[in-house]
Amino acid sequence: MKFTIFQESRIGKRKTNQDRIAHCYSRDSLLMVLADGMGGHLHGEVAAHIAVQYLTHVFQREAQPMLADPGLFLSREITMAHHAILDYSIEKGLREAPRTTIVACIVQDGFAYWAHAGDSRLYLLRNGRIHVQTHDHSRVQLMLDQGLLDVRSAAVHPNRNRVYSCLGGTHVPQIEFSRRTPLQSGDVLALCTDGVWGPLGNEGVLRGLCRETPMISVPSLLSEAESFAGDRCDNLSLIAMVWREGEDDNIDLTHIISTQTMAMTGFTTRLDSFQRIHPSARDMDLSDDDIEQAIQEINTAIQKFSK
């Protein structure tokens, strides 16, 4: 495989960052996953972290060097992540289970497979256009589909952040799966939270990701979203990957990853740690012991459901 990839998450104007992002690749398979946690006082972050770390953990076990069935992996493991979050809430005695959106994508054999629940999005950009976009599981999207709102009204609707499908919570998640989608060289796969696409819209996301490599476009796009959102800026997270296949003398090879020489059981993973993604712990009256306990509980939930 050959690709360029970059990810970044920012806190915005919130006290804490409840987003979690990761990518992980073996010689023949790539996972990208993003989650936007919901719920106060640490729990939304825990739900998102369980979801992202769980999928990454199981991917590392099974993609050696590729998954037997990427679609089945997404279906089975996203559902298991949901149950791991529920189990965590029972163990903690929470009145309401923490929740998180999720969008995950597998790239293997030149094809992409993705799944999502909630309003975190995946975009497939091709030849300067949005080739495919996930459909939000939100009340506002339902009203748009029914012709009760236009795009401009939806952007400022008071219920724009209400989702009807997510991991955790009291309802079984409605997970939507893509078809097996062939990739072309130069295609961009982007996963982002509503903190990114909300202020910028589809055209802003498209324009930002098509003009530079992910190493430049991702930080630039997040800064643009922060500026547009102003004091109401939500957490914002983005993973962008540019697929490369064949030989092209016009491509800058500086940041291109080639997995050809990786060991059969080797992995490269980028998953921001709980502490690093949580720069304002003091504002939440959380001690280092609180954070350490949360990490231990997350690892216990993941180990229990990944056997």
Side-chain angles (χ1 to χ4, degrees):
M1 299 189 298
K2 290 183 180 180
F3 56 88
T4 307
I5 192 166
F6 191 80
Q7 67 182 46
E8 185 175 345
S9 182
R10 298 186 187 178
I11 196 170
K13 297 298 183 180
R14 300 291 192 255
K15 287 187 176 182
T16 61
N17 193 341
Q18 295 191 324
D19 291 354
R20 291 295 186 274
I21 52 176
H23 70 265
C24 179
Y25 57 89
S26 63
R27 193 191 67 182
D28 297 326
S29 193
L30 166 67
L31 166 71
M32 296 172 283
V33 57
L34 175 150
D36 181 354
M38 298 173 281
H41 198 73
L42 187 64
H43 297 138
E45 292 154 275
V46 170
H49 203 102
I50 288 173
V52 169
Q53 188 171 327
Y54 176 83
L55 260 68
T56 304
H57 176 80
V58 180
F59 178 82
Q60 290 174 334
R61 185 183 67 198
E62 296 194 6
Q64 297 194 18
M66 62 168 38
L67 297 171
D69 186 331
L72 179 61
F73 173 88
L74 290 173
S75 174
R76 181 181 64 230
E77 305 311 337
I78 291 177
T79 300
M80 291 300 290
H82 166 70
H83 289 295
I85 294 168
L86 293 181
D87 188 71
Y88 165 84
S89 69
I90 293 171
E91 290 288 335
K92 292 286 289 181
L94 302 180
R95 293 182 179 180
E96 184 178 359
R99 296 161 293 144
T100 182
T101 70
I102 192 165
V103 56
C105 179
I106 300 288
V107 176
Q108 186 170 291
D109 282 334
F111 292 89
Y113 311 73
W114 60 85
H116 80 288
D119 61 355
S120 293
R121 290 182 180 178
L122 178 143
Y123 292 92
L124 171 56
L125 311 179
R126 178 174 294 169
N127 298 324
R129 296 183 178 180
I130 296 176
H131 184 64
V132 182
Q133 171 193 330
T134 53
H135 199 70
D136 298 339
H137 300 150
S138 67
R139 295 183 182 181
V140 164
Q141 185 62 57
L142 287 175
M143 289 188 282
L144 280 168
D145 295 342
Q146 296 167 0
L148 301 176
L149 285 177
D150 57 26
V151 174
R152 180 173 297 181
S153 300
V156 296
H157 196 279
N159 291 329
R160 62 187 179 277
N161 295 323
R162 298 285 185 88
V163 299
Y164 61 81
S165 180
C166 60
L167 304 191
T170 56
H171 301 289
V172 176
Q174 176 183 319
I175 304 168
E176 190 170 340
F177 299 92
S178 74
R179 298 179 179 180
R180 188 177 76 150
T181 303
L183 297 178
Q184 298 179 8
S185 188
D187 281 356
V188 179
L189 279 166
L191 288 65
C192 62
T193 56
D194 62 335
V196 177
W197 63 257
L200 298 178
N202 287 347
E203 289 305 313
V205 172
L206 175 65
R207 182 176 62 252
L209 289 175
C210 287
R211 60 191 177 201
E212 296 285 356
T213 64
M215 289 70 184
I216 298 173
S217 65
V218 169
S220 177
L221 199 62
L222 294 185
S223 294
E224 190 175 350
E226 283 184 302
S227 177
F228 270 94
D231 291 338
R232 296 184 299 174
C233 185
D234 197 357
N235 305 150
L236 56 171
S237 301
L238 173 62
I239 308 171
M241 186 276 290
V242 182
W243 182 247
R244 302 296 186 188
E245 62 180 3
E247 302 295 332
D248 189 339
D249 294 334
N250 296 320
I251 295 176
D252 181 4
L253 300 178
T254 305
H255 299 293
I256 290 183
I257 296 167
S258 176
T259 64
Q260 185 176 2
T261 59
M262 289 182 66
M264 291 283 286
T265 57
F267 287 92
T268 296
T269 303
R270 169 70 190 276
L271 168 61
D272 291 316
S273 70
F274 197 85
Q275 296 97 321
R276 286 180 55 197
I277 234 26
H278 201 297
S280 301
R282 293 183 183 277
D283 293 339
M284 292 181 64
D285 298 323
L286 292 173
S287 66
D288 290 340
D289 289 341
D290 291 330
I291 295 176
E292 183 61 33
Q293 182 179 352
I295 295 170
Q296 292 175 2
E297 291 167 350
I298 288 168
N299 290 332
T300 298
I302 290 169
Q303 292 295 332
K304 181 176 181 179
F305 281 84
S306 63
K307 293 179 180 179

